[in-house]
Amino acid sequence: MADSARERIQKHLVTGDNRLKQGVSPEKARESYEAALRLAQEAGLEDRIRPLVEVRLADLERLWPGSTRSSRPEP
């Protein structure tokens, strides 16, 4: 189970990274990173995965301010 969870987490992280490289919206990348973190929480791997996700979310926020918010900003 742990190997399967790790593979799925890695897939979400790579998907988020690829979405950014391909110019897909930063919100889609954020969704992938958050999915990886949810899987990590469920698998008891949050302590190892959270720092990886936090770095990626910080980069998103730096490059696209407001992109790490879970809800859309008010106009």
Side-chain angles (χ1 to χ4, degrees):
M1 161 103 173
D3 288 339
S4 175
R6 284 186 185 101
E7 289 172 7
R8 291 183 312 188
I9 291 165
Q10 182 179 11
K11 179 182 176 200
H12 282 291
L13 292 174
V14 170
T15 297
D17 294 346
N18 287 340
R19 285 178 164 170
L20 290 179
K21 290 177 190 172
Q22 295 167 359
V24 177
S25 73
E27 290 83 9
K28 290 288 187 183
R30 177 185 45 79
E31 289 172 10
S32 295
Y33 298 145
E34 289 177 349
L37 187 56
R38 279 192 304 276
L39 285 171
Q41 291 167 334
E42 292 169 8
L45 300 170
E46 182 179 2
D47 291 342
R48 297 179 70 190
I49 302 302
R50 181 172 289 284
L52 301 173
V53 172
E54 287 177 350
V55 166
R56 285 168 166 87
L57 292 176
D59 285 345
L60 277 177
E61 184 63 30
R62 182 176 53 81
L63 295 170
W64 293 279
S67 65
T68 59
R69 295 184 186 129
S70 294
S71 59
R72 295 243 175 228
E74 302 265 336

